[in-house]
Amino acid sequence: MSKKKSETTLMDNNSFTVELEKHLRRELGTSPKRATAHDWWQALSLTLRDINLDQLQQSGLDENQEERHVCYLSMEFLMGRLLGDALMNLGLYETAATLLQSYGVRLSDVLDQERDMSLGNGGLGRLAACFMDSLANRNIPATGYGINYRYGLFRQVFVDGYQKEKPDVWREFGSPWETCRPSETVEIGLFGHMEMDHDGNNRWVPSKKLFGVPWDITIPSFGGQYVNRLRLWESLVGAYPIDLDKYNQGEYLEACRNLVDGDTISGVLYPEDSTPQGKDLRLIQQYFFTACSLKDIIRQHKQRGLPMGSLAKHYALQLNDTHPAIAIPELMRLLMDEEGMVWNQAWAITQEMCHYTNHTLLPEALEKWSASLLGRILPRHLQIIEMINYVFLNGEAKEQWGDNLEIIQKVSIFEELDNGDRMIRMANLSVIGSRRVNGVAALHSGLVKANLFPEFDALYPGKLVNVTNGVTPRRWLAHCNPGLARLLDRNIGTDWRTDLDQLEKLTPLAESPDFLDAFANVRFKNKERLARLIEKECKVTVNPNALFDVQIKRLHEYKRQQLNLLHIISLYHEMLDNPDADHTPRVFVFGAKAAPGYVLAKQIILAINKIAQVINNDRRLDDRLKVVFLPDYRVSLAEQIIPAADLSEQISTAGFEASGTGNMKLGLNGALTIGTLDGANVEIAEAVGDDNIFIFGKTVDEIAALQQQGYNPYHYYESNPVLKRAIDSLMNGSFCQHKPDLLKPVAEDLMHRDQFMALADFESYREAQQKVSETFRKPRLWWRKAVLNTARLGGFSSDRSIADYAEKVWGE
Ligand code: 26V
């Protein structure tokens, strides 16, 4: 077996083979001759995990006492599959492929055994995963803290066009990547009441105890020299899970009923990503993982023999949205009630340690918890939050705004409800309790300052900053697009994997016909591969020479899959009207999950599926138009779609998509973007240049103006015959003859409500799409633009984002 020169590994081939076979025999009770693909997957994963664990000992965790350790607190980590990425990072990909081949096993079949680790909903969770990768690559000592959900995001299947949810049993018999650390188990309290002790101090007496057991996953850098870890907490009932009195009286069930069911806390990931349900269990999940993580941090700090007063010097907490915002009062509680600090000292440390990232401006996605609910579960925390608010309102706020009641009410952590209850605004708490607050793209951060927190921006100049999102080039280029990676290696060297600005070197090659051909060739191969997957999953045959037009992201009205759909219908009509015209063949590819309770989103999925069925079976189109909705969109599916995409749909209503990261992944792989001036699209357009992107639609200001003057979608419907015909065809049952009313709800919403103004952007979108079609017919022109997209998007590496965080957020 020969090892390729390009691979530098931490382990030579012989030891690798020995270790692998040991795992096969010992852990799996099999042998290389008898092993199934799944056995190989497990043994390979265990072998790589061991290499990482050895390396972890030598990395930042124990060594760099001086460097500030970053603790990334996130309810979600959307990791996807780990084996392929790890093989690449450790330089063992070719070695493993060759070894398996000698047993007649294909590495790709082995990689396909892995269930995605879908412990997240979408952008926010995937960003956390990319950031873990980049923290390791920047050699920043860091721990990701989250929840070891038993069930990740639901699996999606389509039944007669409808989305149905199935449980995601991703680690029924454990995962080879996770190492349990029972000795580092922590205990936390819940519920109960407050008591006064003999010194007159308030004391929380929780009535429930819960254990958090840590499960660790190693996160290696490229090359594997530096390793960080992801620590996910699993909940376990307390030491006395059963009320023994009742138990002994024979009331077995009753004995268990009163207890918090420990197992359920980390049981399942909530599948909503915009409308908070205000569920007790979600708040308990938030507190559970945050409190466990803080205990863990303080324990390590003390183990190093460091004084509590220096905690903030050694640790930075990054709050991924407000989900872990309870860290602020929890840290205050730990420092005061357990460590004996006074308010001011505890507050100074808390404010120094916490940093908050905002990921959305959607008002309904801004978390608020009812004070009475929070007070029931966490009575001490409610007191502390009240105190934080009191000190804030009577101090800084009063100084700045005097008795201006309107402003005071706006900046207060509490919102008073008519029914007498109060809601705790987690965003306000987070801003007040943090040293830095950041948005996730330049436009978004501007809106955070101007619209969401203008008062806080005036009060705390410099606290609100921007850090534009990024994606890891290891997974989203090197691993998912090996053909393009090889082409890059041959032409600009191999350093781009850890220094994505190297892609600039491609710029002159955009003028080389040979290079353009080679680039197009890579894409064609990727499209053939995706075509095979589409055939298998959707039973639809697509032509790899057609333009692959891709929209992959959560299903949400503001992301406007419905706008895409209206354009598809209009193309369909156009082709039927002019069958002999020279239409650009297109394949529309969708991937999206809808929150199970989001009725309209599910209707949009149904509409896409129904329309796909009619169009795909219409012989008159001569295969020039196909629509496919790949079920169960997830990280590993994205890895197959992205390298095959010609066009990237980024068509949200301006001002609503905070950043987007799919836009970066697709552009980096050479897809051209059709998009609005929203989120990071704005910066992508600046980077690639106006000639190399298809921008359309109303700007943030135009959308605001339209909203102000009273938006009337019906006006657009009436005055645009193409649009009218498309909507009418949804209304009148053209796409489902046996149930003509089936798609009416989608049509009616568009005509009469259209909250995200799809109709207002329709004409502009259609024009942009026409330009796309024209450009695609001129291959040289198209491929030149595609290459320039790859060449100019190096700035969207998450390595750059992390460098920005280090400088603007965690630094001085
Ligand atoms: C919010 C909520 C609200 C309560 C119910 C559960 C839940 C779960 C997640 C969220 C956060 C949604 C925010 C989010 O995912 N934002 C996305 O963040 C990406 C990374 O910054 C960004 O690229 C996307 O534009 C943004 O939509």
Side-chain angles (χ1 to χ4, degrees), residues 250 252 484 539 571 755 766:
Y252 303 122
L484 183 53
K539 313 282 178 275
L571 265 186
Q755 196 190 340
R766 211 167 67 94

Side-chain angles (χ1 to χ4, degrees), residues 76 123-124 272-273 276 282 323 359 365 440 469 558 657-660:
E76 307 190 3
L124 167 140
E272 288 87 29
D273 68 345
R282 188 172 158 91
H323 315 154
H359 293 271
V440 290
N469 282 168
Y558 83 81
E657 189 69 272
S659 162

